[in-house]
Amino acid sequence: QVQLVESGGGLVQAGGSLRLSCAASGSISSLTVMGWYRQAPGKQRELVAAITSGDRTAYADAVKGRFTVSRDSAKNTLYLQMNNLKPEDTSVYYCQGEDTFRTYWGQGTQVTVSS
């Protein structure tokens, strides 16, 4: 079983940058896919970015060219580098991972972008 803990959220001005981290309690090598999701108040949770164990990546259209997802298996950590942040990026960001049997979620970290 894997536990995921996010960090790195905070308050930033529009145009600024943040890097989110997701530390796993166990090895992330067993996770075939890891991703970042976000959920704003009154909205559904949505996929932001995902990365496979083979380092293939995918991004939501809204963040393409601004966000970069990466994983460091040696550190059992998933990252999300967020640049040129916009007020509409304000959300709680969740780390997610999947293996053969189940899906794991972190508790979320708040990102607030002021205009």
Side-chain angles (χ1 to χ4, degrees):
Q1 185 161 338
V2 177
Q3 291 184 330
L4 304 174
V5 179
E6 302 97 334
S7 62
L11 174 64
V12 64
Q13 289 188 333
S17 297
L18 283 174
R19 187 175 81 155
L20 304 183
S21 298
C22 172
S25 62
S27 172
I28 65 172
S29 299
S30 64
L31 301 177
T32 54
V33 178
M34 295 190 76
W36 290 96
Y37 288 72
R38 66 186 182 187
Q39 186 169 20
K43 294 188 176 182
Q44 289 189 330
R45 190 171 297 189
E46 62 178 2
L47 176 67
V48 175
I51 184 167
T52 69
S53 55
D55 288 335
R56 294 176 62 183
T57 59
Y59 296 92
D61 288 343
V63 306
K64 281 181 181 176
R66 300 189 297 123
F67 291 10
T68 303
V69 62
S70 62
R71 57 194 284 172
D72 186 332
S73 295
K75 295 182 178 180
N76 291 320
T77 303
L78 177 72
Y79 300 101
L80 184 67
Q81 178 66 44
M82 305 185 294
N83 297 328
N84 190 22
L85 282 159
K86 303 177 181 181
E88 51 264 43
D89 294 318
T90 295
S91 281
V92 178
Y93 283 71
Y94 297 90
C95 174
Q96 180 250 24
E98 299 177 11
D99 63 20
T100 304
F101 303 104
R102 59 175 294 181
T103 299
Y104 306 92
W105 290 94
Q107 83 290 348
T109 185
Q110 176 71 45
V111 171
T112 303
V113 184
S114 63
S115 57

